[in-house]
Amino acid sequence: MNSALPAYKSHTSLIPILGGMRDRTFFLLVFLLQVALIFQGFDLSDEGFLSIFYRRIFSNPDAVSYNFMFWLTGIIGGTWARLFSPLGLLGIRFGGVAVNTLTTILCYSLLKKYLNPEYLKIGLLLVVLSLNNDIKVINYNTLSSLFYIIAVYLLFSGLQNGKIINVLAGGFIVGLNVFVRAPNILELGMVLGIFYYSHLNPKEDNKVFRQIAAFLAGFVAAVCVIIMAMYLLGHLKIFIDSIRLLFAMGKNEPTPSAVQNGYGLSRLIFIFWSNNVQSLKYALFMSATILGGLYIFNLIRAKVKYGKYIVISIASVFVTLILYLIYTHLISHFTILFFITGLILLSSVSMIVSNVDSKIKMLLFFGLFFLVTFPLGSSDGIYTAGRYCLWIALPIITDYLLSIAFVNNLLTVTRDNQEFRKKVVFTEGQLIITKKTVIYLLMIAGLYQLFYYPFFDRRSRIQMHYSLEAKNLSGIYTTKGRAETFNELMRESSKYIKTDDRVLAYDHIAMYYYATNTTPYLSNSLPSVYSASLFRADLKASSEKNKTLPAIIMQKIGTTGNDSKWPEEIQPGNYYENELNLERNHILDTFLTANHYKKVWENVAFKIMIPGEQPGK
């Protein structure tokens, strides 16, 4: 194949409003877009899991000891929650907005010298839209992204300017990030970036080992500082126990729940491999469809009468079909996430082997490192963590692809002394239309997913104008059915449960603790993530530690994943007999029977159980 390389650095404006937008205005747009989202949607699981962690980390750390594998997240979130305590959950969500906006600003500052400002803004806006229906409170994923950007900023500037202190500071931030989210230990692999920088800049070889030593010294210093802070706060033993628990969860058990929810190394590697293969398939299919479509359109225009109008008609039908698939959720935010991830991986190969500025290659290395390693520490890989690691790589790839002005390739095939030649040309005008179409479709899809539902409250935001009665949930709105069902639980449970009481909310409804200012009976506010053996051990330890038996709030229906439209839509079948929960449920049933629990109230979604009198007492 003889080919002329595509021409790059065509800075035709694709979204003029972004191209002419001042930086501060763009950041304000990102901020306001996220603020508009925090008032709607009510999730009982992950947001509750984090919110009660922030509420109790300073006052009752033993009640949230499971969360200590995210210790620094708890310290940051707990401090923020205290500062904004009058706002309740809304204040913690505002903290999530602040983290994402700060990450956007820092990422822009890191890349602005090397990328087209308009294309950089498009890339960053796509990243923000990819977070369309994630949990809005401060969380360990968004904090990990922020800390990673800071670490890259420091390490990159240190390598560029030869400042060892910056390299050391980068290692220090990586050390802190391990305590934001334990799997961030993989970020130690950023030292490979020092070798890569030396490869791109051979004159810097003599500094490599000093830079590596400084990076590792910064990391060790951060670990020492954190351990000292834990010791002074009385948190060190709790943290060590949580890490032991994390390793215990990594030992796969031959049970359905362990297979689906485990953190075993073999399972994580399998998910990592399958997710990336799937991403490449999505990207290859979509790229082939787009390029093949352009080639066919050129043939039609050249050889068919009224070909121009036929091409416009076919393209319009194709775009309409894509919009329909987005509208019906057949193209979901996961579809888009896998496509974007695969596109980054494919395009990166082209960038690495082509004549691209070494500084951009260096930044791309850090972006790819984050993209690849961050999901590796998550139980569901890209599905749960993929949207948080696009920050550097996506803006760079966006600039790279959008800067292509035209394509002019000549395919030559020789067989039996006969030569076949075919010229493939995509003009600048065609590429501009194609790029605009893809960008607008991605943005429309992101905005639609953003509007249609927040996290595990999968309803249109139009329906979410019913308030929740709990003081801590003031300003949060959800659907009529969900508000009525949960408000009813709040009113009835107040007859049996008071502030600071130890309660067992089973099994995926941690928000109950935060809404009522109660304290988890177990060390984990989400017992649904436990295997049967770990649940049994925690229940036994809590029973021995606490002098009184807890009231138990039990969910009767699923509230997450495909069950996220409750109570208006309840999945068929008995949630309590779900195969994934059977062993753990049996352990709880034994506990209920042994302590003579009785049901005192229930509605369609929840029931309240309180202990009865013990025989002979």
Side-chain angles (χ1 to χ4, degrees):
M1 177 186 291
N2 298 321
S3 61
L5 289 174
Y8 298 98
K9 297 307 175 186
S10 168
H11 293 325
T12 302
S13 181
L14 298 176
I15 305 181
I17 190 172
L18 281 181
M21 185 178 291
R22 297 178 62 183
D23 294 350
R24 291 182 180 179
T25 306
F26 174 71
F27 300 141
L28 179 62
L29 171 66
V30 169
F31 175 76
L32 294 178
L33 176 64
Q34 295 178 89
V35 168
L37 306 177
I38 66 175
F39 300 96
Q40 291 176 301
F42 183 52
D43 160 43
L44 297 182
S45 60
D46 293 48
E47 283 200 316
F49 173 78
L50 291 166
S51 298
I52 192 60
F53 182 31
Y54 306 151
R55 169 71 55 107
R56 295 296 176 182
I57 186 170
F58 297 117
S59 59
N60 298 93
D62 63 303
V64 289
S65 60
Y66 173 88
N67 302 61
F68 268 56
M69 61 186 74
F70 318 112
W71 180 82
L72 189 54
T73 298
I75 295 298
I76 295 171
T79 302
W80 182 278
R82 285 197 172 189
L83 291 173
F84 292 86
S85 58
L87 296 178
L89 183 62
L90 203 58
I92 306 178
R93 288 185 176 183
F94 184 75
V97 172
V99 169
N100 284 338
T101 304
L102 182 56
T103 306
T104 304
I105 295 171
L106 290 175
C107 194
Y108 184 87
S109 180
L110 175 68
L111 301 174
K112 67 180 181 180
K113 294 180 181 179
Y114 312 104
L115 308 182
N116 178 309
E118 179 189 352
Y119 299 165
L120 174 54
K121 288 170 186 172
I122 291 173
L124 288 172
L125 190 56
L126 289 175
V127 175
V128 172
L129 289 177
S130 73
L131 303 174
N132 44 41
N133 47 26
D134 68 325
I135 54 178
K136 298 305 176 190
V137 299
I138 297 174
N139 65 83
Y140 46 81
N141 286 317
T142 53
L143 281 174
S144 293
S145 300
L146 174 60
F147 275 64
Y148 187 80
I149 296 296
I150 296 172
V152 171
Y153 202 111
L154 291 166
L155 180 55
F156 179 72
S157 65
L159 294 174
Q160 286 289 111
N161 302 322
K163 294 183 178 180
I164 289 294
I165 187 64
N166 285 16
V167 176
L168 186 145
F172 188 86
I173 297 298
V174 169
L176 295 182
N177 212 6
V178 173
F179 297 93
V180 169
R181 172 182 175 267
N184 290 342
I185 186 70
L186 295 173
E187 289 178 17
L188 269 175
M190 287 175 67
V191 296
L192 295 174
I194 298 176
F195 286 108
Y196 186 56
Y197 182 81
S198 174
H199 167 72
L200 295 175
N201 302 272
K203 294 180 180 180
E204 302 291 330
D205 280 348
N206 60 327
K207 298 180 181 179
V208 168
F209 292 106
R210 280 191 297 155
Q211 290 167 338
I212 291 175
F215 181 85
L216 295 178
F219 178 88
V220 172
V223 171
C224 293
V225 168
I226 291 293
I227 290 176
M228 179 60 67
M230 287 181 179
Y231 176 78
L232 294 174
L233 289 171
H235 289 176
L236 184 56
K237 182 180 183 303
I238 301 175
F239 172 76
I240 293 172
D241 289 343
S242 74
I243 296 301
R244 287 174 178 166
L245 179 59
L246 180 63
F247 280 105
M249 293 179 71
K251 297 178 181 178
N252 285 327
E253 299 178 21
T255 63
S257 59
V259 171
Q260 178 155 325
N261 299 316
Y263 285 83
L265 181 60
S266 59
R267 180 178 183 275
L268 293 178
I269 293 174
F270 170 77
I271 289 174
F272 167 79
W273 175 257
S274 62
N275 281 178
N276 283 287
V277 168
Q278 186 176 355
S279 295
L280 289 171
K281 287 180 179 178
Y282 272 83
L284 285 169
F285 174 77
M286 290 303 299
S287 299
T289 300
I290 293 171
L291 296 177
L294 284 174
Y295 178 72
I296 293 172
F297 287 170
N298 282 339
L299 289 179
I300 293 174
R301 292 187 63 174
K303 298 184 178 183
V304 178
K305 188 178 181 179
Y306 304 116
K308 175 181 178 180
Y309 301 103
I310 294 174
V311 166
I312 292 173
S313 299
I314 295 174
S316 299
V317 170
F318 178 76
V319 171
T320 302
L321 175 62
I322 296 296
L323 291 172
Y324 174 77
L325 294 176
I326 293 170
Y327 174 75
T328 56
H329 299 284
L330 293 176
I331 291 180
S332 68
H333 62 291
F334 290 126
T335 309
I336 297 167
L337 178 60
F338 277 97
F339 165 65
I340 288 175
T341 301
L343 189 63
I344 291 171
L345 294 174
L346 284 177
S347 302
S348 296
V349 175
S350 176
M351 286 192 69
I352 291 170
V353 300
S354 61
N355 186 25
V356 174
D357 185 271
S358 62
K359 297 182 183 66
I360 297 178
K361 284 187 176 182
M362 191 68 242
L363 289 167
L364 179 62
F365 169 86
F366 288 124
L368 287 175
F369 183 85
F370 194 33
L371 182 80
V372 171
T373 60
F374 191 72
L376 188 56
S378 173
S379 63
D380 288 308
I382 288 177
Y383 281 99
T384 51
R387 68 184 73 183
Y388 302 101
C389 52
L390 303 174
W391 284 104
I392 299 176
L394 182 54
I396 291 176
I397 295 303
T398 299
D399 176 82
Y400 178 73
L401 295 176
L402 296 185
S403 296
I404 297 176
F406 62 88
V407 176
N408 185 355
N409 287 327
L410 178 64
L411 175 65
T412 303
V413 178
T414 302
R415 183 178 180 272
D416 294 334
N417 295 322
Q418 293 183 337
E419 189 173 77
F420 169 79
R421 293 190 176 192
K422 191 64 181 179
K423 193 171 186 179
V424 179
V425 178
F426 300 143
T427 67
E428 184 174 9
Q430 289 176 318
L431 290 181
I432 288 174
I433 293 173
T434 302
K435 289 184 283 190
K436 282 187 175 182
T437 302
V438 173
I439 290 169
Y440 282 118
L441 284 175
L442 287 173
M443 288 186 175
I444 288 170
L447 288 168
Y448 181 72
Q449 295 289 343
L450 173 155
F451 179 80
Y452 185 75
Y453 70 88
F455 203 56
F456 288 144
D457 199 346
R458 296 187 179 177
R459 296 287 189 173
S460 166
R461 291 179 181 271
I462 293 176
Q463 302 175 17
M464 297 182 181
H465 52 87
Y466 295 90
S467 61
L468 296 155
E469 294 177 359
K471 180 181 178 182
N472 292 336
L473 306 178
S474 179
I476 307 294
Y477 298 89
T478 185
T479 59
K480 181 179 181 181
R482 187 165 297 194
E484 289 179 346
T485 303
F486 193 77
N487 286 340
E488 191 177 12
L489 173 63
M490 293 295 96
R491 290 191 295 269
E492 292 298 325
S493 66
S494 66
K495 299 175 183 178
Y496 309 95
I497 300 168
K498 305 303 177 186
T499 298
D500 293 329
D501 280 358
R502 293 270 180 172
V503 177
L504 174 52
Y506 188 85
D507 62 343
H508 220 101
I509 50 176
M511 183 57 76
Y512 178 84
Y513 299 114
Y514 183 78
T516 56
N517 287 327
T518 51
T519 305
Y521 181 74
L522 303 177
S523 64
N524 180 2
S525 59
L526 279 183
S528 56
V529 304
Y530 275 152
S531 64
S533 61
L534 292 175
F535 176 64
R536 180 187 292 109
D538 197 349
L539 185 60
K540 180 181 178 182
S542 298
S543 300
E544 293 172 351
K545 179 177 63 177
N546 295 292
K547 297 179 180 179
T548 59
L549 293 169
I552 297 179
I553 309 297
M554 297 180 64
Q555 65 184 90
K556 298 167 55 179
I557 60 174
T559 58
T560 61
N562 293 330
D563 300 317
S564 298
K565 293 184 178 180
W566 69 275
E568 289 87 353
E569 294 182 29
I570 297 175
Q571 295 291 321
N574 187 337
Y575 172 75
Y576 203 66
E577 294 178 358
N578 187 315
E579 183 183 6
L580 295 174
N581 304 327
L582 279 178
E583 290 185 79
R584 194 173 61 249
N585 292 345
H586 176 70
I587 294 168
L588 181 64
D589 283 338
T590 302
F591 180 81
L592 295 174
T593 300
N595 293 288
H596 306 281
Y597 273 81
K598 60 181 180 180
K599 179 176 64 181
V600 293
W601 173 85
E602 68 177 329
N603 65 7
V604 67
F606 310 103
K607 61 181 177 181
I608 302 173
M609 309 283 289
I610 62 172
E613 293 186 8
Q614 306 295 311
K617 292 187 179 181

